[in-house]
């Protein structure tokens, strides 16, 4: 294993980004430096073509779950990257009241969605029930 090179970078970071980093640090129980290093690694993998970008994962997940459906009362959240045990993007689908309805997993290298037709149909059935409940409230 190669010995890591240590270097220092001085950059002005906007307050909003610092606050988001500190929030992530507390949420993930990791130092800010570890979160930044992981973000840089993800950026380099994506920029080098090793991983699909989050926007592609978003589109693939949307197509896989909803297809051509419109007016589903779901919004799609920001894809989150997970690299263990394999690199995936998890794309959250969120209800009008802010709850996560489901997360669709997209392979970060191949853009293959982990969702069977049976799982998809079950989710769509749940979505129909959710719509009915919205109408009755």
């Amino acid at each position: 294993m190669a010995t890591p090179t240590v270097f220092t970078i001085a950059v002005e970071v906007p307050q909003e980004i610092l606050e988001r980093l500190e929030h992530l640090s507390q949420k993930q129980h990791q130092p800010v430096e570890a979160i930044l290093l992981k973000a840089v690694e993800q950026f380099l993998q994506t920029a080098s073509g090793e991983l699909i970008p989050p926007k592609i994962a978003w589109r693939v997940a949307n197509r896989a779950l909803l297809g051509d459906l419109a007016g589903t009362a779901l919004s799609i959240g920001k894809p989150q990257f997970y690299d263990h045990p394999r690199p995936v993007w998890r794309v959250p689908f969120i209800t009008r009241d802010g709850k996560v309805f489901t997360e669709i997993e997209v392979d970060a290298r191949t853009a293959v969605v982990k969702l069977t037709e049976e799982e998809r149909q079950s989710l769509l059935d749940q979505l129909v029930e959710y719509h009915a409940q919205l109408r009755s409230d």
Side-chain angles (χ1 to χ4, degrees):
M1 181 181 211
T3 304
T5 303
V6 178
F7 62 96
T8 303
I9 301 174
V11 240
E12 287 187 35
V13 180
Q15 186 64 34
E16 177 186 340
I17 292 175
L18 285 174
E19 290 169 1
R20 290 172 66 191
L21 280 169
E22 293 201 8
H23 174 75
L24 276 174
S25 176
Q26 292 171 357
K27 184 178 175 182
Q28 296 179 4
H29 306 291
Q30 293 183 359
V32 169
E33 295 82 1
I35 292 169
L36 285 172
L37 181 59
K38 186 173 183 178
V40 168
E41 288 172 349
Q42 289 172 8
F43 170 79
L44 291 173
Q45 285 178 324
T46 300
S48 68
E50 293 179 38
L51 300 177
I52 63 168
K55 186 69 174 171
I56 298 297
W58 186 94
R59 288 183 189 145
V60 169
N62 184 36
R63 195 174 326 118
L65 179 59
L66 301 177
D68 293 331
L69 297 176
T72 61
L74 291 178
S75 62
I76 305 173
K78 181 180 176 185
Q80 297 296 311
F81 182 78
Y82 295 86
D83 62 354
H84 187 72
R86 61 186 172 74
V88 296
W89 290 104
R90 289 188 188 149
V91 183
F93 287 76
I94 303 164
T95 61
R96 286 185 182 168
D97 55 0
K99 296 179 182 169
V100 175
F101 174 73
T102 191
E103 282 188 335
I104 301 297
E105 212 170 81
V106 180
D107 188 292
R109 289 196 176 106
T110 64
V112 171
V113 175
K114 183 180 176 186
L115 181 70
T116 66
E117 187 55 38
E118 293 79 21
E119 292 169 331
R120 178 180 182 266
Q121 190 57 55
S122 174
L123 288 168
L124 292 177
D125 292 344
Q126 292 172 41
L127 188 56
V128 168
E129 290 175 25
Y130 175 71
H131 274 269
Q133 184 180 29
L134 282 178
R135 287 190 200 112
S136 68
D137 288 344

